[in-house]
Amino acid sequence: MKIPAHFEVIVVGAGHAGCEAALASARLGLSTLLLTLSPETIAQMSCNPAVGGVGKGHLVCEIDALGGEMGKNTDATGLQFRRLNTSKGPAVRSLRVQADRHLYQERMRRILESQPNLILAYQPVEAILVKAGRIQGVATPGSTFSGKSVVLTPGTFLHGLIHIGLSSQPGGRMGDPPSDRLGDSLGDLGFKLGRFKTGTPPRLLRDTIDFSHLAPQQGDNPPLPFSLATGRIEQSQLSCHLTYTTPLTHEIIRKNLDRSPLFSGIIKGRGVRYCPSIEDKVVRFPERERHQVFLEPEGRESPEIYPNGISTSLPEDVQAEIVHSIPGLEVARLARPGYGIEHDYVQPTELFSSLETKKIPGLFLAGQINGTTGYEEAAGQGLIAGINAARQARSEEPLILGRDQAYLGVMIDDLVTKGTDEPYRIFTSRAEYRLILREDNAADRLREIGFRFGLVSKADFEIFVEKRKTRDRIVSRLRENRLRPTAEVNQFLADNRIAPLKNPQSLADLLRRPEVSLAHLTRFEPELGGLDPRLKETIEIELKYTGYIERQKLEVAQFSRAESLRIPRALDYSRIAGLSLEVVEKLSRLRPGSLGQASRIPGITPAALTILRIFLEKPGQA
């Protein structure tokens, strides 16, 4: 098939960011080209084949609520579903799913290939084409493609360098060449490039592991899906297993630090603080006698096991020694060694909140090129970049989510406002309003936006509306239905170790007692028994935490006032009397979109914000 030379949107790279960006653009009706190296590189899980986790699960639910694909793909290919932090507060409960690596890629490729308005081409991109300061398209070795918008999602490929021991080789991923010319092109265009490092553990052959004395980790029963479109998880679940490093493991690592590229100074890039290599953990925490190692299957038919917790770039012979010092792995064989990889990234302060670059209108960046780490962070950026690239191609206003609306908004605001000097990953602790930014209410926050922007179908939106009506009806009944302290009622409460009623009380007030759950109220409201689990959870949280949620909504209202005071992109800060040269330089460079965003820039003082607010509130300024 001959590929057209012109598209409205071009997406470079088909990792998790590129897949979401290309699907979003095509689903919005724009002619879209997705360029990647080969079909085998689509949606590849280069590290752990798992999706979600604390904070990350929130991103997946938000991607799904907006009309993205990651949640659906994970539900369809999941091997094990586990909800984390279930004994803690509702703000930090997160779903984590171990996925089948091969099936995840295969299904995502089918989705892309069947998507109207989307063409896949397997060619490396060597240069970004710019004319008169504006994006024109991209160049591959034998072709040029023009586009109104371009989304770059190169992952770890920009000047990628793979390290195993003291040996290094160019590569964007093991077995794939780096994107050196694309990296050079970005440097030539004046982008400030930094250097980060990430890594992966060796893969082990399942049949050589002794699981008999290891602690199994089962999935949840019943499993909870990510996607609103998934009725229930039909496939069976596999077990993971837990083991630990030993003092011998740590001794082996310490003896071989001189052969580590990380500690011999060969690796220059900053690594992921919250997912360090095993040698980094042993050096940083000398008092620890052991570290957890989770043995996670890579697929139902895959012979390989992923040993989560021992990422390393030590030489292969040392990796084998490390593995053999761990209980259950005494005779385990390495299917392939672990490695470290360095890659370039663009300082994300060079982006607007739409993920469009400030230097080149029409050029958008998403994923690890923005200094992040993780599939979920990449997919979330890809979705927003794809939406905004499509809207920019049609001269429409971008979608910008606030910190009070979504973790997607928190992540992007953190990146474009503060930048990052280490690989960025999302945490619930990064969100000021995390009690109202929960996994269970992602649809309440974002489904309508997804529908309004064109990614959620009318049929799917109507299903959501009906569920919301059901929730509101039940909440009203729980608030109105009052129990009287009859002998029958108090006997039921006593049987369930709940203090008796002394006065009439609504079911909603009863639910606020710590020992009472929504399951108890099914005795008095039978309809609760047949509700969707996520709907039940939302009802219970909204009623149990009413006071806290209302207080946080008041904080959001105050926050929104500063966010609503918009700052024109082209504002000349030097003509605002009273601002210091340092403040003018920072505001001119970072170009905040609102007074609220300006307040989060390090070094912008309260006095400067007051001067800026007075200026913006003058008629005709904003």
Side-chain angles (χ1 to χ4, degrees):
M1 181 186 74
K2 182 174 174 59
I3 301 173
H6 177 75
F7 292 84
E8 291 174 287
V9 175
I10 299 172
V11 179
V12 178
H16 303 281
C19 289
E20 295 291 352
L23 287 171
S25 171
R27 287 169 176 172
L28 291 175
L30 285 86
S31 60
T32 304
L33 173 65
L34 176 57
L35 289 160
T36 189
L37 292 177
S38 75
E40 286 70 36
T41 61
I42 292 173
Q44 190 161 337
M45 293 175 145
S46 305
C47 202
N48 184 14
V51 174
V54 178
K56 292 171 174 281
H58 292 69
L59 290 178
V60 181
C61 290
E62 291 176 356
I63 291 166
D64 182 73
L66 285 168
E69 194 65 31
M70 177 174 263
K72 298 186 189 76
N73 211 49
T74 304
D75 289 345
T77 61
L79 300 173
Q80 187 189 90
F81 296 72
R82 290 187 67 213
R83 198 90 187 278
L84 308 180
N85 290 339
T86 53
S87 62
K88 297 183 179 179
V92 297
R93 296 171 194 164
S94 299
L95 180 62
R96 182 181 186 273
V97 178
Q98 193 73 23
D100 186 305
R101 181 191 301 276
H102 175 70
L103 293 181
Y104 189 98
Q105 286 184 259
E106 191 178 71
R107 183 185 181 278
M108 187 65 85
R109 186 174 71 243
R110 290 199 309 270
I111 294 294
L112 291 166
E113 290 172 342
S114 62
Q115 175 61 49
N117 306 314
L118 178 60
I119 291 178
L120 277 73
Y122 302 108
Q123 302 179 36
V125 172
E126 294 187 335
I128 304 301
L129 304 179
V130 178
K131 184 176 181 181
R134 183 170 184 81
I135 196 71
Q136 296 296 303
V138 300
T140 68
S143 308
T144 60
F145 298 99
S146 64
K148 294 180 179 179
S149 300
V150 171
V151 183
L152 277 190
T153 70
T156 58
F157 280 66
L158 294 182
H159 293 122
L161 189 61
I162 292 171
H163 301 274
I164 302 178
L166 303 183
S167 299
S168 303
Q169 65 182 72
R173 183 169 45 218
M174 188 61 77
D176 291 321
S179 296
D180 289 347
R181 290 187 178 179
L182 180 58
D184 292 342
S185 177
L186 287 170
D188 292 342
L189 290 170
F191 286 100
K192 180 182 176 184
L193 300 177
R195 196 86 170 144
F196 279 160
K197 172 258 177 188
T198 187
T200 187
R203 306 307 199 270
L204 310 178
L205 291 174
R206 184 201 304 261
D207 292 344
T208 64
I209 297 173
D210 180 7
F211 293 101
S212 60
H213 300 296
L214 303 183
Q217 285 198 316
Q218 309 294 339
D220 295 339
N221 187 21
L224 192 67
F226 272 123
S227 178
L228 299 165
T230 305
R232 60 180 180 177
I233 304 300
E234 301 288 353
Q235 66 268 32
S236 60
Q237 298 191 66
L238 300 184
S239 295
C240 298
H241 289 78
L242 176 63
T243 185
Y244 296 88
T245 61
T246 64
L248 176 58
T249 311
H250 301 180
E251 182 183 340
I252 292 167
I253 291 169
R254 291 190 187 100
K255 274 196 324 184
N256 288 281
L257 287 177
D258 61 329
R259 301 177 67 193
S260 164
L262 187 64
F263 287 93
S264 60
I266 294 175
I267 291 178
K268 306 295 185 184
R270 182 84 177 265
V272 185
R273 180 191 307 199
Y274 303 100
C275 188
S277 65
I278 185 60
E279 54 264 39
D280 202 18
K281 286 191 279 190
V282 167
V283 170
R284 285 168 54 189
F285 307 106
E287 72 285 356
R288 293 280 296 275
E289 293 187 357
R290 64 180 191 172
H291 295 278
Q292 290 180 322
V293 182
F294 297 93
L295 302 178
E296 301 171 333
E298 297 226 331
R300 291 187 188 278
E301 307 300 327
S302 173
E304 296 184 5
I305 293 291
Y306 183 95
N308 190 346
I310 56 169
S311 289
T312 182
S313 53
L314 283 162
E316 189 170 351
D317 62 308
V318 180
Q319 294 186 35
E321 274 193 83
I322 289 170
V323 167
H324 294 155
S325 69
I326 296 171
L329 309 182
E330 292 86 353
V331 296
R333 286 168 50 201
L334 275 62
R336 46 202 166 105
Y339 60 88
I341 182 167
E342 287 184 284
H343 63 92
D344 287 350
Y345 75 100
V346 172
Q347 184 55 249
T349 51
E350 299 210 34
L351 305 173
F352 292 114
S353 296
S354 61
L355 297 181
E356 184 180 19
T357 63
K358 296 171 182 175
K359 283 188 173 68
I360 303 173
L363 177 62
F364 295 76
L365 309 182
Q368 284 176 287
I369 190 174
N370 291 338
T372 62
T373 179
Y375 309 142
E376 305 82 0
E377 288 87 345
Q381 293 172 71
L383 177 66
I384 299 301
I387 292 170
N388 287 333
R391 293 183 68 80
Q392 196 272 352
R394 289 181 170 170
S395 301
E396 296 173 339
E397 287 297 308
L399 169 62
I400 296 175
L401 297 172
R403 300 181 70 90
D404 58 325
Q405 288 178 289
Y407 275 88
L408 290 169
V410 171
M411 172 179 66
I412 292 172
D413 184 69
D414 280 348
L415 291 169
V416 304
T417 304
K418 303 172 186 175
T420 185
D421 59 1
E422 63 181 352
Y424 178 99
R425 67 164 289 182
I426 197 68
F427 290 105
T428 53
S429 59
R430 294 191 189 275
E432 303 91 329
Y433 310 114
R434 54 186 172 272
L435 188 54
I436 59 175
L437 301 182
R438 309 184 308 273
E439 274 192 358
D440 67 276
N441 72 351
D444 287 309
R445 294 182 277 116
L446 301 173
R447 199 62 164 173
E448 189 169 343
I449 295 174
F451 175 64
R452 181 159 40 89
F453 275 70
L455 283 180
V456 174
S457 70
K458 184 177 181 181
D460 284 345
F461 183 65
E462 287 175 349
I463 290 171
F464 158 70
V465 170
E466 286 305 312
K467 284 186 177 181
R468 186 167 59 183
K469 287 179 180 177
T470 299
R471 180 202 64 197
D472 293 344
R473 186 183 73 252
I474 289 174
V475 166
S476 293
R477 288 207 333 234
L478 293 176
R479 284 175 171 153
E480 294 165 1
N481 190 346
R482 299 179 69 79
L483 291 182
R484 297 187 178 279
T486 64
E488 180 184 1
V489 166
N490 280 336
Q491 184 59 54
F492 172 80
L493 297 177
D495 291 344
N496 287 276
R497 298 182 179 180
I498 300 169
L501 294 180
K502 295 181 180 178
N503 300 299
Q505 191 173 43
S506 72
L507 292 177
D509 287 338
L510 183 63
L511 183 60
R512 292 193 185 100
R513 296 187 185 186
E515 70 274 19
V516 179
S517 71
L518 205 64
H520 293 121
L521 303 190
T522 306
R523 164 74 171 74
F524 310 105
E525 279 290 350
E527 188 180 358
L528 292 171
L531 289 181
D532 173 85
R534 273 267 160 90
L535 199 57
K536 281 186 189 177
E537 183 179 25
T538 302
I539 290 170
E540 184 161 349
I541 292 170
E542 293 287 341
L543 289 174
K544 266 189 178 297
Y545 294 86
T546 296
Y548 297 102
I549 290 172
E550 291 304 317
R551 188 183 310 163
Q552 199 150 96
K553 285 180 179 177
L554 289 175
E555 294 172 4
V556 167
Q558 295 173 343
F559 168 83
S560 296
R561 283 194 285 273
E563 295 298 303
S564 65
L565 195 52
R566 308 303 298 172
I567 302 177
R569 278 190 180 183
L571 178 61
D572 181 1
Y573 291 96
S574 64
R575 67 187 181 91
I576 303 178
L579 292 181
S580 69
L581 291 177
E582 179 188 359
V583 168
V584 168
E585 186 277 327
K586 285 187 175 182
L587 292 173
S588 300
R589 176 168 50 86
L590 296 175
R591 294 281 162 198
S594 69
L595 185 68
Q597 190 179 10
S599 72
R600 295 186 290 277
I601 296 174
I604 303 300
T605 64
L609 291 169
T610 299
I611 292 169
L612 183 57
R613 177 180 56 78
I614 292 171
F615 178 84
L616 292 171
E617 287 177 342
K618 291 179 182 177
Q621 298 296 344

Short mmCIF file of all heavy atoms in Angstrom, two decimals, residues 267-296:
data_model
loop_
_atom_site.label_atom_id
_atom_site.label_comp_id
_atom_site.label_asym_id
_atom_site.label_seq_id
_atom_site.Cartn_x
_atom_site.Cartn_y
_atom_site.Cartn_z
N ILE A 267 28.12 5.09 33.67
CA ILE A 267 26.77 5.63 33.51
C ILE A 267 26.73 7.03 34.12
O ILE A 267 27.04 7.22 35.29
CB ILE A 267 25.72 4.73 34.18
CG1 ILE A 267 25.59 3.41 33.41
CG2 ILE A 267 24.36 5.42 34.26
CD1 ILE A 267 24.61 2.43 34.01
N LYS A 268 26.37 8.01 33.32
CA LYS A 268 26.33 9.41 33.77
C LYS A 268 24.91 9.86 34.12
O LYS A 268 24.72 10.78 34.90
CB LYS A 268 26.88 10.33 32.68
CG LYS A 268 28.27 9.96 32.18
CD LYS A 268 29.33 10.10 33.25
CE LYS A 268 30.72 9.82 32.66
NZ LYS A 268 31.76 9.87 33.71
N GLY A 269 23.89 9.21 33.52
CA GLY A 269 22.51 9.66 33.70
C GLY A 269 21.97 9.37 35.08
O GLY A 269 22.36 8.39 35.73
N ARG A 270 21.04 10.20 35.52
CA ARG A 270 20.39 10.03 36.82
C ARG A 270 19.36 8.90 36.73
O ARG A 270 18.57 8.84 35.79
CB ARG A 270 19.70 11.34 37.22
CG ARG A 270 19.00 11.34 38.58
CD ARG A 270 19.99 11.63 39.67
NE ARG A 270 19.32 11.71 40.97
CZ ARG A 270 18.91 12.85 41.53
NH1 ARG A 270 19.09 13.99 40.89
NH2 ARG A 270 18.33 12.85 42.72
N GLY A 271 19.36 7.99 37.70
CA GLY A 271 18.45 6.85 37.69
C GLY A 271 17.15 7.12 38.40
O GLY A 271 16.93 8.20 38.97
N VAL A 272 16.26 6.12 38.38
CA VAL A 272 14.94 6.23 38.99
C VAL A 272 15.06 6.01 40.49
O VAL A 272 15.41 4.92 40.94
CB VAL A 272 13.97 5.18 38.39
CG1 VAL A 272 12.57 5.38 38.94
CG2 VAL A 272 13.97 5.27 36.87
N ARG A 273 14.76 7.04 41.28
CA ARG A 273 14.94 6.96 42.73
C ARG A 273 14.08 5.86 43.35
O ARG A 273 14.52 5.15 44.26
CB ARG A 273 14.59 8.30 43.36
CG ARG A 273 14.76 8.29 44.88
CD ARG A 273 14.17 9.51 45.54
NE ARG A 273 14.65 10.75 44.96
CZ ARG A 273 14.57 11.93 45.58
NH1 ARG A 273 14.02 12.00 46.78
NH2 ARG A 273 14.98 13.03 44.99
N TYR A 274 12.85 5.72 42.86
CA TYR A 274 11.90 4.84 43.53
C TYR A 274 11.88 3.43 42.92
O TYR A 274 11.07 2.61 43.31
CB TYR A 274 10.50 5.46 43.46
CG TYR A 274 10.48 6.83 44.09
CD1 TYR A 274 10.52 7.98 43.31
CD2 TYR A 274 10.49 6.98 45.47
CE1 TYR A 274 10.53 9.25 43.88
CE2 TYR A 274 10.51 8.23 46.06
CZ TYR A 274 10.53 9.37 45.27
OH TYR A 274 10.56 10.61 45.84
N CYS A 275 12.78 3.17 41.99
CA CYS A 275 12.91 1.83 41.43
C CYS A 275 14.39 1.59 41.15
O CYS A 275 14.80 1.40 40.00
CB CYS A 275 12.08 1.70 40.15
SG CYS A 275 11.99 0.03 39.52
N PRO A 276 15.23 1.61 42.20
CA PRO A 276 16.67 1.53 41.99
C PRO A 276 17.12 0.11 41.63
O PRO A 276 16.39 -0.87 41.85
CB PRO A 276 17.24 1.94 43.35
CG PRO A 276 16.17 1.54 44.33
CD PRO A 276 14.87 1.74 43.62
N SER A 277 18.32 0.00 41.09
CA SER A 277 18.90 -1.31 40.81
C SER A 277 19.23 -2.00 42.12
O SER A 277 19.33 -1.37 43.18
CB SER A 277 20.16 -1.16 39.97
OG SER A 277 21.16 -0.46 40.72
N ILE A 278 19.44 -3.33 42.07
CA ILE A 278 19.73 -4.06 43.30
C ILE A 278 21.08 -3.63 43.88
O ILE A 278 21.24 -3.52 45.10
CB ILE A 278 19.69 -5.59 43.06
CG1 ILE A 278 19.89 -6.34 44.38
CG2 ILE A 278 20.68 -6.03 42.02
CD1 ILE A 278 18.84 -6.04 45.44
N GLU A 279 22.07 -3.29 43.00
CA GLU A 279 23.34 -2.83 43.53
C GLU A 279 23.19 -1.48 44.21
O GLU A 279 23.84 -1.20 45.23
CB GLU A 279 24.43 -2.80 42.44
CG GLU A 279 24.11 -2.01 41.20
CD GLU A 279 23.57 -2.86 40.07
OE1 GLU A 279 22.77 -3.78 40.35
OE2 GLU A 279 23.92 -2.61 38.91
N ASP A 280 22.32 -0.63 43.68
CA ASP A 280 22.06 0.67 44.29
C ASP A 280 21.40 0.49 45.67
O ASP A 280 21.74 1.17 46.64
CB ASP A 280 21.17 1.50 43.37
CG ASP A 280 21.28 2.99 43.64
OD1 ASP A 280 22.26 3.40 44.29
OD2 ASP A 280 20.40 3.74 43.22
N LYS A 281 20.44 -0.44 45.76
CA LYS A 281 19.77 -0.69 47.04
C LYS A 281 20.73 -1.21 48.09
O LYS A 281 20.68 -0.81 49.26
CB LYS A 281 18.61 -1.68 46.84
CG LYS A 281 17.40 -1.08 46.15
CD LYS A 281 16.19 -2.00 46.20
CE LYS A 281 16.23 -3.05 45.16
NZ LYS A 281 14.94 -3.79 45.05
N VAL A 282 21.63 -2.12 47.69
CA VAL A 282 22.59 -2.69 48.64
C VAL A 282 23.54 -1.62 49.17
O VAL A 282 23.86 -1.57 50.36
CB VAL A 282 23.38 -3.84 47.97
CG1 VAL A 282 24.59 -4.24 48.82
CG2 VAL A 282 22.46 -5.04 47.75
N VAL A 283 23.98 -0.70 48.31
CA VAL A 283 24.89 0.37 48.73
C VAL A 283 24.15 1.42 49.57
O VAL A 283 24.67 1.89 50.59
CB VAL A 283 25.54 1.02 47.49
CG1 VAL A 283 26.30 2.29 47.87
CG2 VAL A 283 26.46 0.04 46.79
N ARG A 284 22.94 1.78 49.16
CA ARG A 284 22.21 2.85 49.86
C ARG A 284 21.63 2.40 51.19
O ARG A 284 21.44 3.21 52.10
CB ARG A 284 21.08 3.38 48.96
CG ARG A 284 21.56 4.28 47.83
CD ARG A 284 20.48 4.54 46.83
NE ARG A 284 19.26 5.08 47.43
CZ ARG A 284 18.11 5.23 46.77
NH1 ARG A 284 18.03 4.89 45.50
NH2 ARG A 284 17.06 5.72 47.37
N PHE A 285 21.35 1.12 51.32
CA PHE A 285 20.72 0.62 52.56
C PHE A 285 21.56 -0.53 53.13
O PHE A 285 21.13 -1.69 53.13
CB PHE A 285 19.30 0.15 52.27
CG PHE A 285 18.44 1.19 51.60
CD1 PHE A 285 18.10 1.07 50.26
CD2 PHE A 285 17.98 2.30 52.30
CE1 PHE A 285 17.32 2.02 49.63
CE2 PHE A 285 17.21 3.26 51.67
CZ PHE A 285 16.87 3.13 50.33
N PRO A 286 22.76 -0.23 53.61
CA PRO A 286 23.65 -1.30 54.09
C PRO A 286 23.10 -2.05 55.30
O PRO A 286 23.51 -3.18 55.57
CB PRO A 286 24.94 -0.54 54.44
CG PRO A 286 24.50 0.87 54.68
CD PRO A 286 23.36 1.10 53.73
N GLU A 287 22.18 -1.42 56.03
CA GLU A 287 21.62 -2.07 57.21
C GLU A 287 20.57 -3.13 56.88
O GLU A 287 20.23 -3.96 57.73
CB GLU A 287 20.99 -1.01 58.14
CG GLU A 287 19.67 -0.40 57.65
CD GLU A 287 19.83 0.62 56.52
OE1 GLU A 287 20.99 0.91 56.14
OE2 GLU A 287 18.80 1.11 56.02
N ARG A 288 20.08 -3.13 55.65
CA ARG A 288 19.04 -4.09 55.26
C ARG A 288 19.66 -5.45 54.99
O ARG A 288 20.60 -5.57 54.20
CB ARG A 288 18.31 -3.59 54.00
CG ARG A 288 17.47 -2.34 54.20
CD ARG A 288 16.12 -2.63 54.84
NE ARG A 288 15.29 -3.46 53.98
CZ ARG A 288 14.51 -3.00 53.02
NH1 ARG A 288 14.48 -1.70 52.76
NH2 ARG A 288 13.77 -3.82 52.31
N GLU A 289 19.13 -6.50 55.63
CA GLU A 289 19.66 -7.84 55.44
C GLU A 289 19.07 -8.54 54.22
O GLU A 289 19.63 -9.50 53.72
CB GLU A 289 19.42 -8.70 56.69
CG GLU A 289 20.21 -8.23 57.90
CD GLU A 289 20.08 -9.20 59.06
OE1 GLU A 289 19.33 -10.20 58.93
OE2 GLU A 289 20.73 -8.96 60.08
N ARG A 290 17.91 -8.04 53.76
CA ARG A 290 17.30 -8.67 52.59
C ARG A 290 16.36 -7.68 51.90
O ARG A 290 15.89 -6.72 52.52
CB ARG A 290 16.54 -9.94 52.97
CG ARG A 290 15.34 -9.70 53.89
CD ARG A 290 14.66 -11.04 54.20
NE ARG A 290 13.36 -10.83 54.86
CZ ARG A 290 12.49 -11.80 55.10
NH1 ARG A 290 12.77 -13.04 54.75
NH2 ARG A 290 11.34 -11.54 55.69
N HIS A 291 16.13 -7.93 50.62
CA HIS A 291 15.19 -7.13 49.84
C HIS A 291 14.21 -8.09 49.15
O HIS A 291 14.59 -9.20 48.75
CB HIS A 291 15.93 -6.30 48.78
CG HIS A 291 16.82 -5.25 49.36
ND1 HIS A 291 16.36 -4.02 49.78
CD2 HIS A 291 18.16 -5.26 49.61
CE1 HIS A 291 17.38 -3.30 50.24
NE2 HIS A 291 18.48 -4.03 50.15
N GLN A 292 12.99 -7.64 48.99
CA GLN A 292 11.97 -8.48 48.37
C GLN A 292 12.25 -8.69 46.88
O GLN A 292 12.73 -7.80 46.20
CB GLN A 292 10.59 -7.85 48.51
CG GLN A 292 10.05 -7.84 49.93
CD GLN A 292 8.68 -7.19 50.01
OE1 GLN A 292 8.41 -6.22 49.32
NE2 GLN A 292 7.80 -7.74 50.84
N VAL A 293 11.92 -9.89 46.42
CA VAL A 293 11.98 -10.22 45.00
C VAL A 293 10.66 -10.90 44.63
O VAL A 293 10.33 -11.95 45.19
CB VAL A 293 13.16 -11.15 44.66
CG1 VAL A 293 13.20 -11.42 43.14
CG2 VAL A 293 14.48 -10.58 45.14
N PHE A 294 9.89 -10.27 43.74
CA PHE A 294 8.61 -10.82 43.31
C PHE A 294 8.82 -11.55 41.98
O PHE A 294 9.31 -10.95 41.01
CB PHE A 294 7.57 -9.71 43.13
CG PHE A 294 7.25 -9.00 44.41
CD1 PHE A 294 7.93 -7.84 44.75
CD2 PHE A 294 6.26 -9.48 45.27
CE1 PHE A 294 7.64 -7.17 45.94
CE2 PHE A 294 5.97 -8.82 46.45
CZ PHE A 294 6.65 -7.67 46.79
N LEU A 295 8.47 -12.82 41.95
CA LEU A 295 8.61 -13.62 40.73
C LEU A 295 7.29 -13.58 39.99
O LEU A 295 6.29 -14.15 40.43
CB LEU A 295 9.01 -15.05 41.09
CG LEU A 295 10.32 -15.18 41.89
CD1 LEU A 295 10.59 -16.64 42.23
CD2 LEU A 295 11.49 -14.58 41.12
N GLU A 296 7.29 -12.90 38.84
CA GLU A 296 6.04 -12.60 38.13
C GLU A 296 6.07 -13.21 36.73
O GLU A 296 7.04 -13.00 35.98
CB GLU A 296 5.85 -11.09 38.06
CG GLU A 296 5.80 -10.46 39.45
CD GLU A 296 5.84 -8.95 39.46
OE1 GLU A 296 6.40 -8.36 38.50
OE2 GLU A 296 5.33 -8.35 40.41
#
